[in-house]
Amino acid sequence: MGKVTGFMEYERVEEAYEPAPTRLKHYKEFVIGLKEDEARVQGARCMDCGIPFCNSGCPVNNVIPDFNDLVYRNEWQRAIDVLHSTNNFPEFTGRICPAPCEAACTLNFNDEAVGIKSVERAIIDRAWAEGWVAPQPSKIKTGRKVAVIGSGPAGLAAAQQLARVGHDVTVFEKNDRIGGLLRYGIPDFKMEKSLIDRRVQQMEAEGVSFRTGVLVGKMPEGSKVTNLAKQTVSPEQLAKEFDAVLLAGGAEQPRDLPAPGRDLAGVHFAMEFLPQQNRVNAGDQVKDQIMATGKHVIVIGGGDTGSDCVGTSNRHGAASVTQFELMPMPPEHENKALTWPYWPYKLRTSSSHEEGCEREFAIATKEFMGGEGKDSGKLAAIKTVRVEWKDGKMVEVPGSEQVLKADLVLLAMGFVSPVASVLESFGVEKDARGNARASTDFMGGYQTSVDKVFAAGDIRRGQSLVVWAIREGRQAARAVDEFLMGASELPR
């Protein structure tokens, strides 16, 4: 695959970024993709390694050596056919997937991995530019109707696969636009929403119907999940109208931090903060938007969502941004002899961190502190303590408490489960973590405890990656097709 000696001749080339002072002035994507000759060089670095661990490292099992080789040989149209054979939306994964395939790359064992993610993005971006991405409507109609609940990557992937084998598919989305967390969770500077819009247009041409502003079931009282739905549909209505229902609503219940002062004004979940800016970017008017402008911002949570809060806060013009992580600081470089080909434990610095951010590790929040007098109900500071791990337990370091100024705290500590009422409305059995219980067995996979109701994506497996959502959506589509037709030609 690639050039036989390419991995010895060529170095890895990273995608470039706009300078931080420039990109902080807007919310557009700022990654500068590889040029054609650069992508071909990266394709040339792909080794004839015999056992391509990258294939299994990738949750959708992209046929990575093949498309690397095709790019190297300048056969771009064949490359997009190979890429689309396993991945419905490579423009999403080529931007926001953390690339476990690169961690598993054989070359990564003692060198720098092939730039698989950048090659993937180069292929799909060129394919759209050249007009190679076109609707693929089914030539037959089965007469079977499928409802897909949720329009994130799992729901979209399943809907597209099912429509392409002739089923009538309707996607229900409680928000006003299609995309789920791709739309309102991922900042525009990481992935512009026009990428979703053109896929929706393609899917509509393939026969998929989209219904926005529709909540299936009921939201529980006191839910921390934003609900802007204008219409409600009951599971009973769907059961009458559709031959199968796929739950793909994601895991939206955020992890809370019930420390003293949690109810102070100025303490918010990340998913209260991030969607508002995306709506403003789309041209909406957002009343009482949460702004970081001129504020000392503390982001609690060291993952991708926390990083997104950092980048958005800096674009607002925050006075300072600090990100907390409960765990100790990881090593800058992984021990590849111990971790390869698995996802390594190491320090990860995002483009948002590089734009300006203090990072604190092994730190816990003790209290949110309000101001004095008339400002007593507003956040003014945060009390913290250093922590360490002893005998497998987290303990506070004596004498390490400190008080930091904070005008805005954003909780970005992940998501614990789907919105419970969705599963309860359908009567679906849940697992110990509150997710929909549904196995991934080859026969009867993704079926829940309720007849003709399936579940896929984060609502089934818990909070995970976009690439896992696409995989589950594709596999669930095959399971639904088998259920409806007795057999399926869809890939698993």
Side-chain angles (χ1 to χ4, degrees):
M1 297 300 170
K3 187 177 181 182
V4 175
T5 57
F7 69 96
M8 296 187 291
E9 297 175 30
Y10 306 122
E11 295 182 354
R12 177 183 171 103
V13 175
E14 301 280 358
E15 294 172 317
Y17 295 162
E18 281 184 16
T22 302
R23 66 184 191 244
L24 282 174
K25 297 177 181 178
H26 63 77
Y27 292 90
K28 300 290 186 181
E29 290 182 11
F30 54 79
V31 175
I32 302 170
L34 298 183
K35 299 176 182 177
E36 180 179 325
D37 57 341
E38 292 174 329
R40 292 185 64 191
V41 165
Q42 288 305 292
R45 295 185 73 237
C46 189
M47 305 168 66
D48 188 5
C49 60
I51 302 177
F53 287 91
C54 57
N55 285 4
S56 56
C58 171
V60 293
N61 303 123
N62 277 338
V63 193
I64 293 164
D66 288 34
F67 70 63
N68 279 334
D69 182 62
L70 290 167
V71 168
Y72 164 61
R73 300 182 188 282
N74 208 30
E75 298 185 48
W76 290 80
Q77 195 160 1
R78 289 184 62 195
I80 187 55
D81 290 341
V82 169
L83 186 50
H84 268 151
S85 70
T86 56
N87 185 352
N88 295 66
F89 313 118
E91 63 269 45
F92 302 164
T93 54
R95 285 166 167 79
I96 60 174
C97 178
C101 56
E102 294 187 12
C105 174
T106 301
L107 187 57
N108 189 49
F109 181 75
N110 61 355
D111 199 342
E112 291 191 287
V114 174
I116 300 167
K117 180 178 174 180
S118 61
V119 173
E120 179 179 359
R121 176 171 174 169
I123 294 170
I124 184 59
D125 285 357
R126 178 166 180 180
W128 278 106
E130 297 283 356
W132 297 334
V133 184
Q136 300 176 37
S138 176
K139 295 180 181 179
I140 62 165
K141 281 292 185 180
T142 66
R144 305 298 175 87
K145 300 174 67 177
V146 182
V148 176
I149 315 304
S151 68
L156 291 179
Q160 185 166 63
Q161 294 293 94
L162 288 165
R164 287 179 174 178
V165 292
H167 301 305
D168 292 322
V169 182
T170 302
V171 177
F172 294 85
E173 169 58 54
K174 71 177 184 297
N175 284 306
D176 57 345
R177 296 180 179 91
I178 295 298
L181 286 183
L182 292 173
R183 174 74 66 176
Y184 289 125
I186 304 296
D188 288 33
F189 55 79
K190 287 178 67 175
M191 195 189 86
E192 293 180 20
K193 308 317 171 198
S194 59
L195 303 180
I196 305 172
D197 296 336
R198 66 187 182 186
R199 279 295 182 183
V200 169
Q201 292 173 3
Q202 179 198 33
M203 292 173 65
E204 287 177 330
E206 294 171 344
V208 178
S209 298
F210 293 95
R211 292 183 59 184
T212 57
V214 179
L215 175 68
V216 177
K218 295 181 180 180
M219 295 289 286
E221 293 185 11
S223 172
K224 301 297 184 180
V225 178
T226 302
N227 174 31
L228 300 177
K230 297 180 179 179
Q231 183 182 355
T232 300
V233 173
S234 70
E236 291 76 17
Q237 289 175 275
L238 296 183
K240 290 179 181 179
E241 185 177 350
F242 294 91
D243 300 296
V245 176
L246 174 62
L247 305 179
E252 296 182 274
Q253 201 66 43
R255 181 174 284 106
D256 207 344
L257 182 57
R262 170 62 180 89
D263 58 348
L264 289 171
V267 183
H268 300 276
F269 286 112
M271 289 307 297
E272 294 177 275
F273 176 68
L274 295 173
Q276 290 186 348
Q277 186 57 55
N278 284 10
R279 291 183 181 280
V280 170
N281 295 344
D284 294 351
Q285 297 291 325
V286 175
K287 184 179 180 181
D288 300 324
Q289 182 184 358
I290 303 166
M291 296 294 295
T293 310
K295 296 178 180 178
H296 297 280
V297 180
I298 304 289
V299 179
I300 301 179
D304 288 340
T305 303
S307 173
D308 294 343
C309 290
V310 170
T312 302
S313 296
N314 279 326
R315 281 163 177 75
H316 282 185
S320 68
V321 182
T322 305
Q323 186 175 22
F324 286 0
E325 170 56 60
L326 189 65
M327 301 300 290
M329 181 176 176
E332 289 192 23
H333 302 285
E334 73 270 34
N335 186 335
K336 292 183 179 181
L338 289 177
T339 61
W340 181 88
Y342 302 107
W343 187 245
Y345 176 65
K346 67 176 183 179
L347 181 66
R348 302 179 191 279
T349 300
S350 72
S351 58
S352 292
H353 294 141
E354 294 170 349
E355 293 165 358
C357 174
E358 294 292 327
R359 303 173 74 180
E360 298 284 351
F361 294 88
I363 189 169
T365 302
K366 295 275 287 184
E367 181 182 354
F368 302 107
M369 305 174 69
E372 297 180 355
K374 65 178 182 179
D375 294 326
S376 60
K378 298 179 181 178
L379 178 71
I382 185 170
K383 182 184 289 186
T384 67
V385 65
R386 296 291 171 177
V387 295
E388 58 184 359
W389 296 84
K390 291 183 177 180
D391 300 324
K393 296 181 180 179
M394 186 185 74
V395 296
E396 297 181 1
V397 177
S400 65
E401 288 191 1
Q402 58 181 339
V403 175
L404 302 177
K405 183 173 177 56
D407 306 302
L408 175 63
V409 167
L410 300 171
L411 305 179
M413 302 175 295
F415 302 87
V416 294
S417 66
V419 178
S421 62
V422 175
L423 302 182
E424 291 166 358
S425 296
F426 279 90
V428 168
E429 183 180 338
K430 294 183 283 189
D431 64 17
R433 297 186 299 159
N435 302 320
R437 186 183 296 281
S439 74
T440 58
D441 294 339
F442 186 77
M443 296 299 294
Y446 295 92
Q447 290 195 50
T448 70
S449 57
V450 177
D451 182 46
K452 75 179 186 180
V453 176
F454 297 73
D458 289 5
I459 200 171
R460 190 201 71 83
R461 65 178 287 118
Q463 177 189 353
S464 191
L465 305 176
V466 60
V467 70
W468 272 108
I470 293 173
R471 171 198 173 108
E472 294 227 340
R474 288 172 61 89
Q475 290 189 344
R478 179 184 171 94
V480 171
D481 191 33
E482 287 178 336
F483 170 78
L484 294 175
M485 308 302 293
S488 177
E489 294 183 355
L490 284 172
R492 193 175 192 275

